[in-house]
Amino acid sequence: MREVDQTLDAGEQVELHVHLDGAIKPETILYYGRKRGLPLPADTAEGLQNIIGMDMPLSLPGFLAKFDYYMPAIAGCREAIKRIAYEFVEMKAKEGVVYVEVRYSPHLLANSKVTPIPWGQKEGDVTPSDVVALVNQGLQEGERDFRVKVRSILCCMRHMPDWSLEVVELCKKYQQQGVVAIDLAGDETIPDSSLFPGHVQAYEEAVKSGIHRTVHAGEVGSPEVVKQAVENLKTERLGHGYHTLEDQALYDELRAKNMHFEVCPRSSYLTGAWKPETEHAVVRFRRDQANYSINTDDPLIFKSTLNTDYHMLKNLMDFTEDEFKRLNISSAQSSFLPENEKKELLDLLHKAYGM
Ligand SMILES: [Zn+2]
C-alpha cells in the first residue's frame, strides 16, 4: 500500500469523483505561497508533498488539517485558482483519463462575499462566483490544450447550509460553462445534516432547474445518511456509499434503481473508511455487477494517480481488465453529460476497449 505504482498502463478511463482542491501540484502551492508571502510547512515541493501527503490511515481531523497547510496559498488568488484548474486537466491527460467530473466548493476558494472568510484570509475581492468563472476558464483552456473532456460539480458543505442556495444558483448561472451538478461534501457525521433546510432547498431547486445531483454519503456515515441523500436530496449518485451495504433492504432498493456508487479505493484506506481486515465494499459491488466508478478523491493528499487506485484493485482484490472496462462503461452511462455527449463518450470507450 505504501508505494505509488505507476506501471499499470493508463487508458481511456472515466473519473467522476475528484476534488479540485485535493488535486493541486505541490510546486504550484510552493510558488503561490512564496509569491504571496504566506507561510508553508516546507520550502521544497518534495518536502511539501511529504507533509501534505499521507501513507498511513489518519483520523478525520488529521486529514482535514492537511487543507489548512496549503489552501491559504491558493484561495483568494485569481491567478492561482485558474492555474490549478488548468494544471488539473494536464494531470488527468497524463493519467490517460478521457472524461472527468471535478468538484470543489466555490466558497472555500473565495475571500469576498463569503461568511466566514475561510482559511483565516483577509477580506479581498474574489467572490464565490468569480471562483467558478476562473475555474471554468482554467478547465476550458486545459480541455483545449490537453484534449480531455472536463465538467465540474459545485460542492455545498455540510456544516455551512447558509452557502447552499448560492451554490445551486452558481450551478444554474454557469450551466453553459461546464458546470453539471451539485454535491454535498464535508463531515457527514454531523447529525441529520442532510436535512438542514439550506441543503434541502438547494437540492429542491437543483431538481427544478435540471441540475444533476450527487452527495457524499455512507463513506463513514450510516445507511441512514445514504437514505436521506436518496429520499430527501434526490441524489442520482452516491459519493462513496460503502455503508449502504449494512442495510440490505436499502442496498437492494438502490441496486434495483441502478444507483451509481463513486468508489475511491485508496482514499477509503487512508481515511479509515475501509478497514483492510474487512472485505471492501467494491468487492461486493463487483460480485453484484453493481454500477460504480473508480476515483482518486484527493490525489494530492493520497499521493496517488488514478492508476494507483486501479492497481490497488488489481493487486489486492484481483480485479480484471474486463471488470475495469465494464465499470468504465457504467461510469460513462452515469456521468452527468447530456445524452448526445454521453453517447459520444460511450462510442469512444467502446472503440478503445475493442467492444
Ligand atoms: Zn470526496
Side-chain angles (χ1 to χ4, degrees):
M1 293 297 303
R2 269 181 299 280
E3 277 167 41
V4 175
D5 195 328
Q6 314 280 11
T7 57
L8 186 73
D9 285 339
E12 275 84 18
Q13 290 143 341
V14 171
E15 186 173 17
L16 302 179
H17 188 128
V18 52
H19 296 258
L20 180 63
D21 47 347
I24 306 172
K25 287 164 74 173
E27 292 81 1
T28 304
I29 296 167
L30 195 65
Y31 177 84
Y32 286 104
R34 280 191 183 139
K35 184 171 175 181
R36 303 173 73 195
L38 298 166
L40 287 171
D43 56 9
T44 62
E46 201 193 354
L48 263 184
Q49 173 72 90
N50 287 334
I51 291 170
I52 296 168
M54 290 169 67
D55 292 302
M56 295 298 287
L58 273 183
S59 63
L60 184 69
F63 169 75
L64 293 176
K66 303 287 186 182
F67 292 89
D68 292 327
Y69 286 133
Y70 67 88
M71 284 298 277
I74 305 295
C77 173
R78 290 170 193 277
E79 188 189 299
I81 294 166
K82 185 177 166 185
R83 178 158 149 191
I84 61 168
Y86 181 79
E87 289 179 345
F88 171 81
V89 189
E90 182 180 27
M91 194 187 296
K92 289 298 149 185
K94 284 184 183 155
E95 292 175 16
V97 170
V98 291
Y99 174 68
V100 57
E101 288 174 8
V102 62
R103 62 186 73 194
Y104 61 98
S105 158
H107 294 82
L108 290 179
L109 285 164
N111 64 5
S112 172
K113 296 194 178 161
V114 52
T115 313
I117 298 176
W119 318 112
Q121 301 175 92
K122 286 201 207 78
E123 183 162 6
D125 64 358
V126 182
T127 66
S129 180
D130 294 336
V131 169
V132 182
L134 289 159
V135 171
N136 291 343
Q137 283 170 27
L139 295 179
Q140 279 160 18
E141 287 176 22
E143 276 193 292
R144 185 198 60 204
D145 292 352
F146 306 113
R147 298 177 174 274
V148 177
K149 194 175 175 88
V150 186
R151 295 294 180 266
S152 58
I153 298 174
L154 305 184
C155 302
C156 303
M157 300 304 298
R158 286 198 179 262
H159 66 299
M160 284 295 169
D162 289 350
W163 292 350
S164 293
L165 277 174
E166 188 180 10
V167 174
V168 73
E169 289 307 318
L170 291 172
C171 291
K172 288 158 65 179
K173 180 173 175 185
Y174 291 106
Q175 211 174 357
Q176 300 308 317
Q177 279 84 44
V179 177
V180 290
I182 193 167
D183 177 37
L184 178 56
D187 183 359
E188 62 169 311
T189 65
I190 300 171
D192 286 332
S193 49
S194 311
L195 306 181
F196 291 169
H199 301 323
V200 174
Q201 285 165 20
Y203 273 73
E204 276 170 3
E205 184 57 34
V207 172
K208 244 187 264 168
S209 315
I211 302 294
H212 287 293
R213 299 159 308 280
T214 184
V215 172
H216 281 74
E219 177 183 13
V220 291
S222 68
E224 189 55 31
V225 183
V226 174
K227 213 178 259 181
Q228 290 172 346
V230 175
E231 287 172 9
N232 301 92
L233 301 178
K234 312 278 183 252
T235 197
E236 298 163 84
R237 299 198 316 228
L238 289 164
H240 306 276
Y242 318 128
H243 289 269
T244 306
L245 295 177
E246 289 158 23
D247 181 336
Q248 185 64 42
L250 176 65
Y251 179 57
D252 291 344
E253 183 196 321
L254 297 187
R255 286 272 295 116
K257 283 184 182 167
N258 197 32
M259 175 59 76
H260 181 88
F261 296 88
E262 302 162 356
V263 176
C264 309
R266 183 166 165 85
S267 161
S268 68
Y269 165 65
L270 288 173
T271 61
W274 167 57
K275 305 274 179 274
E277 65 275 14
T278 65
E279 180 179 85
H280 198 294
V282 75
V283 173
R284 177 75 186 277
F285 294 157
R286 177 190 62 191
R287 202 156 56 230
D288 295 342
Q289 296 285 283
N291 177 7
Y292 65 94
S293 50
I294 297 303
N295 309 280
T296 53
D297 208 6
D298 296 289
L300 165 68
I301 297 175
F302 304 133
K303 301 209 281 193
S304 61
T305 69
L306 192 53
N307 289 332
T308 317
D309 289 277
Y310 278 82
H311 239 198
M312 180 176 158
L313 298 187
K314 192 174 179 174
N315 294 344
L316 299 183
M317 301 171 199
D318 301 317
F319 275 58
T320 62
E321 294 297 325
D322 280 348
E323 179 65 6
F324 289 151
K325 289 177 184 174
R326 190 194 71 85
L327 75 87
N328 274 282
I329 299 284
S330 337
S331 307
Q333 279 159 346
S334 299
S335 73
F336 291 144
L337 286 171
E339 289 306 320
N340 57 333
E341 291 179 54
K342 204 182 270 190
K343 189 180 172 302
E344 271 172 33
L345 176 61
L346 283 162
D347 286 348
L348 186 153
L349 293 181
H350 284 132
K351 211 168 156 193
Y353 299 162
M355 295 165 92

